[in-house]
Each structure stands twice: as structure tokens, then as C-alpha cells.
Amino acid sequence: MVTSLALTTSVAAVIKDGVAVPVATAGDTVEVILAETPFYAESGGQDADTGEIRGANATLHVIDVQKPVADVIVHTVTVTEGEVAAGDQVSAEVDRVNRHQASKAHSATHLIHAALHETLGTDANQAGSYNKPGYMRLDFSWRNPVTAMAREEIEGIANRAIREELPVSTNVMNLDEAKNLGAMALFGEKYGDRVRVVEIGGPFSRELCAGTHVANSSQIGLLTVTSEGSVGSGARRIEALVGADAFSHLAAERSIVAEPHKHAEGASRGAERPHRRTAHAPVRRGEATRPVPPAGDAAGGGPTGGDRNRGQRGAGWWRTSRRPRPTETTCARS
């Protein structure tokens, strides 16, 4: 497995509609085989890489990567500009952000599998999986519905493993050696004599896997289980969002929960607020009007509210500097 995310290579073949062609031009969607590639082909439940292939005469956008037979990796590309031909020297570059997000999801799948074992027991074995940037799902063998409490525990164990910053390591070894180590294998999957073992936190999670992973569990960030249910007799599926997608999901749920409370709180405040007449509010028939003294005269004194000796102008100075107060009247127009 090539670990570099970019390398210089050459175009071994250009295929269109299942037939090798000498050249592909802008606007064509074709399949390209490279002499060597940094792109991860879809396998082990993980989505393929995306990225760009650039040459002196063309730019290709990689939209899918498959491995139809051993040692042959086929890139489905769209020629965005120029033309590409067999023999061209090109630079192949993986979308780094997309790869990292997919790696988070794949590592999260391993954590969920380990959490299932811890919560339900070792009979809850993986029966298939799919992961892509921001999302993972895992099918497992189990006959009974998973209770809400067990689901919360599974989510909690996975997030605890994320917080504990568990190291992630990969080692290639003999199949028998991996089995003796206790590495989990996917039932029905065919393995060669040499296998790749991915460990997260040592014995916490140890599986045979050829996918891409984070270097440390903390890089996953956050995981939230979104659903769990039956997908057939004796098989269930658990789905989760990972990283920024998990955070966005929880933020959206919080907003939904908070919205009714905001309306209720606003209505409550409106009901408790006493009626106040504004400066422009009309006077209702039969209602008396009273002049409002300036601030500080509430106690009948000067500007400091009752301290008649404070200030140079003395008590009641404002009464002589303003127009006389109107007499109290009652509106009784008919």
C-alpha cells in the first residue's frame, strides 16, 4: 500500500467504454491505469480516494478508484482540460482532506466494533461495513434489538477511546501470527498468507484491515450514533456520524430542542410584563393624566431626590426654570 499522498508516475493505459484508446480529450470520462498510484481503491468498506492527476498537456479529476483484479488499480477520471495519452508523465495527488476524513470514519468503525464487544459480548461480530468522510455504518451479528441504554453505552465507550488518545499502529505479519495475537478477521473474507493488522490502543481494538486510519484516536474528534436497527434475520446495523459532521448533527438537534423553549419563554415574559403607557399612546376616555416629575424629584426635593440643601440652585429650582405644571384634568370628551 502506497503511503504517500502524491507521486510522479506515468499513464500505462487510457480506457474508454471498455476499450483502450490512444488519447482522451477535455470533457471525456475515461478510466486510467497508472504505473504506480497513491490513490486508495475502494475496499474493506471504505470509499475510494478522490484527487487530481496532472500532466504537461492535461488535468484529470479522479472521481472513483477500483481494484477489479489483484495488482490492477483503475482510476475513473474526467478530463477537465487538455488531453491525456498512454505514456504521459503525470503527477498524481490525493485530496488530503477527503482522505483524512475517510480515515477518521474507518478508525471510528473499529472503535464501534470494539464497543459492541464490550457491551454485548464477542458474539456481536462485524458482518460488513461502509465508511466515507463524516459517516460510518457497521453491520453485526445479533438477534435482539439493542436497548437505548446499550446504544448509549456503545457510543460512550467509543468516545472515551477517542478522548484517551489511543495510538494507532499497523503491522504486516503472517496470518497465523495475527490470529494468535487475537486480531479480528471479517467472516467470509479471503486473506493471503501476509496480512495487515491495525491496532488501536493495543488490545482494545486489533483487526485485520487494509484501509486507511488516523495516527491517534483523538484525531477522530467526536462520534455520535444516529441509528440502530435490523437489516435481516440475525443481523443489525449501527450508523454514526464522525468528526465535524457529528458536531453539526448535535448542534442542529440542540437548536430543535431549544426552539420551543424560546417561544415559551418569550410568551411568559410578555404575560408578566406590566402595561406601560408610551409617550405616543393615546389616552383612553375617562382616564386621568398626571405630569411626571423629572428624575430626582420623587421625594419632592431637588435633583438628588429629597436632599433639599445639595446644589447651588437650591430646592425646587427646576420648578422655576420650566413652565408651570398643568393642572390635573380628566378627559371626558363625548
Side-chain angles (χ1 to χ4, degrees):
M1 179 179 179
V2 178
T3 57
S4 174
L5 295 180
L7 57 81
T8 299
T9 183
S10 61
V11 177
V14 178
I15 302 169
K16 185 174 183 179
D17 298 328
V19 179
V21 295
V23 64
T25 58
D28 288 344
T29 297
V30 296
E31 295 174 330
V32 169
I33 299 175
L34 302 177
E36 188 179 13
T37 182
F39 289 90
Y40 178 82
E42 180 182 349
S43 63
Q46 181 176 331
D47 250 2
D49 280 335
T50 60
E52 306 289 329
I53 298 174
R54 295 184 177 87
N57 303 313
T59 299
L60 318 175
H61 178 60
V62 179
I63 57 178
D64 190 25
V65 187
Q66 297 292 326
K67 191 175 183 180
V69 295
D71 301 325
V72 176
I73 295 178
V74 178
H75 311 74
T76 301
V77 305
T78 298
V79 183
T80 55
E81 60 181 23
E83 60 181 33
V84 61
D88 286 354
Q89 293 294 306
V90 294
S91 172
E93 184 173 348
V94 173
D95 184 324
R96 295 170 184 269
V97 174
N98 188 76
R99 163 72 74 85
H100 187 54
Q101 298 301 321
S103 297
K104 288 182 180 183
H106 202 150
S107 295
T109 305
H110 285 216
L111 296 185
I112 286 290
H113 194 196
L116 285 169
H117 281 179
E118 189 169 329
T119 304
L120 304 179
T122 55
D123 288 340
N125 285 319
Q126 180 178 339
S129 66
Y130 173 67
N131 46 78
K132 63 179 181 178
Y135 168 85
M136 61 131 292
R137 74 169 185 241
L138 185 144
D139 295 347
F140 59 100
S141 54
W142 195 252
R143 293 188 176 277
N144 303 315
V146 177
T147 65
M149 183 177 295
R151 172 175 155 171
E152 289 181 5
E153 186 176 355
I154 291 164
E155 182 181 77
I157 291 171
N159 279 294
R160 184 183 67 200
I162 292 171
R163 293 193 302 272
E164 289 178 350
E165 302 180 347
L166 303 179
V168 181
S169 62
T170 59
N171 295 287
V172 178
M173 60 186 71
N174 293 328
L175 180 59
D176 289 339
E177 185 181 357
K179 289 180 178 179
N180 291 335
L181 194 62
M184 295 291 300
L186 186 61
F187 178 76
E189 188 77 9
K190 294 182 179 180
Y191 297 97
D193 293 334
R194 301 284 289 175
V195 294
R196 183 169 177 260
V197 178
V198 176
E199 292 185 333
I200 304 179
F204 177 76
S205 173
R206 186 176 283 143
E207 298 189 31
L208 304 185
C209 180
T212 68
H213 291 272
V214 296
N216 187 287
S217 65
S218 63
Q219 294 176 352
I220 297 170
L222 179 67
L223 180 150
T224 180
V225 174
T226 56
S227 71
E228 189 282 330
S230 174
V231 289
S233 179
R236 302 190 69 82
R237 171 174 294 171
I238 188 167
E239 297 178 276
L241 295 176
V242 180
D245 290 79
F247 179 83
S248 297
H249 175 76
L250 292 175
E253 282 197 334
R254 182 174 61 184
S255 296
I256 293 171
V257 171
E259 195 64 27
H261 293 283
K262 288 182 180 178
H263 289 302
E265 186 177 315
S268 176
R269 287 179 178 174
E272 294 173 0
R273 186 180 298 116
H275 173 72
R276 286 187 177 181
R277 181 188 304 284
T278 65
H280 304 289
V283 178
R284 291 191 293 271
R285 179 174 298 178
E287 183 177 23
T289 60
R290 295 181 182 274
V292 180
D297 195 51
T304 57
D307 188 350
R308 299 178 180 274
N309 299 318
R310 185 176 297 178
Q312 295 181 354
R313 286 182 279 189
W317 64 268
W318 57 274
R319 290 195 177 94
T320 59
S321 62
R322 295 164 57 100
R323 71 179 67 179
R325 291 185 179 181
T327 57
E328 184 174 320
T329 62
T330 300
C331 180
R333 289 179 296 177
S334 59

